Amino acid sequence: MEQKMRRDSMQQQSRLKHELDHLQLNKTSIPELKAAIFENLNEQTRFHKFQSVFKHVNQHYKEHRYEEALKVAYICKDILPENYWERARSDALKLYLMIGECSFVLGDRAQAFNHLQQAEQYANLVVEKLQLYHIYAIGYRLGENAAELNKIIEK
């Protein structure tokens, strides 16, 4: 019985990965994308859906399509499990850093600072803090107030 449940779960995960990997994000509207992702969303599929959707966020980001990356990143944020800072800290941190950087590039400094300040509370490793400060530096180079960057550097 337990093997059957495990096999069914693996088949469901495989089907889900296949569906999400083949979504054509640039041809799919955000509401359609959300509907496809949130269909049958539960604790078992949540992590796999997050990983699949986050791949698309990274793809848009690497192609310098920041607006698309940001739209999909917000969907990805909605997929994170409850208490995600405790249960999926590393994934949540990557996502929040990406949202912060894309928001800076697109000129939405308030959203950038909002997400980066949340991420800052959970950046425990030196490399994570360096990534965070790098994104703050991007915001500064893009015209952000020097006082904000100095406040962050002093910590």
Side-chain angles (χ1 to χ4, degrees):
M1 180 71 158
E2 189 175 314
Q3 282 182 326
K4 182 183 182 322
M5 288 177 56
R6 194 175 308 135
R7 188 177 64 241
D8 290 346
S9 176
M10 288 173 45
Q11 288 173 343
Q12 183 182 18
Q13 291 170 5
S14 177
R15 180 186 58 77
L16 171 68
K17 182 179 182 330
H18 178 73
E19 288 174 8
L20 290 174
D21 285 345
H22 288 90
L23 277 175
Q24 295 181 359
L25 295 180
N26 43 349
K27 295 182 180 176
T28 304
S29 73
I30 295 299
E32 289 171 341
L33 180 61
K34 281 181 109 167
I37 291 169
F38 287 96
E39 182 180 339
N40 299 322
L41 184 67
N42 59 45
E43 287 305 311
Q44 293 176 337
T45 61
R46 189 175 291 275
F47 179 75
H48 297 288
K49 285 187 178 190
F50 175 87
Q51 293 296 325
S52 295
V53 174
F54 194 68
K55 276 194 251 179
H56 293 294
V57 175
N58 277 321
Q59 178 184 349
H60 288 311
Y61 174 81
K62 288 177 183 175
E63 295 170 357
H64 304 286
R65 296 170 42 207
Y66 300 111
E67 190 171 340
E68 289 87 356
L70 192 58
K71 286 178 185 175
V72 180
Y74 280 121
I75 294 172
C76 212
K77 182 179 166 186
D78 291 340
I79 299 172
L80 284 169
E82 290 183 30
N83 304 322
Y84 54 85
W85 285 116
E86 290 80 29
R87 295 176 60 197
R89 187 193 66 78
S90 179
D91 291 327
L93 187 64
K94 290 175 195 171
L95 179 63
Y96 273 63
L97 292 174
M98 179 115 14
I99 291 173
E101 186 171 351
C102 290
S103 295
F104 269 139
V105 170
L106 295 171
D108 190 347
R109 299 196 182 336
Q111 276 302 328
F113 276 112
N114 178 37
H115 284 86
L116 293 176
Q117 286 169 349
Q118 289 180 57
E120 186 175 355
Q121 297 172 21
Y122 298 96
N124 300 330
L125 304 175
V126 171
V127 69
E128 294 169 344
K129 291 179 182 183
L130 289 172
Q131 291 170 334
L132 178 69
Y133 297 148
H134 173 76
I135 296 170
Y136 276 120
I138 289 170
Y140 177 73
R141 286 194 310 257
L142 292 172
E144 190 51 41
N145 186 342
E148 284 294 325
L149 184 61
N150 288 332
K151 183 174 82 174
I152 298 305
I153 291 173
E154 290 173 2
K155 287 185 179 182

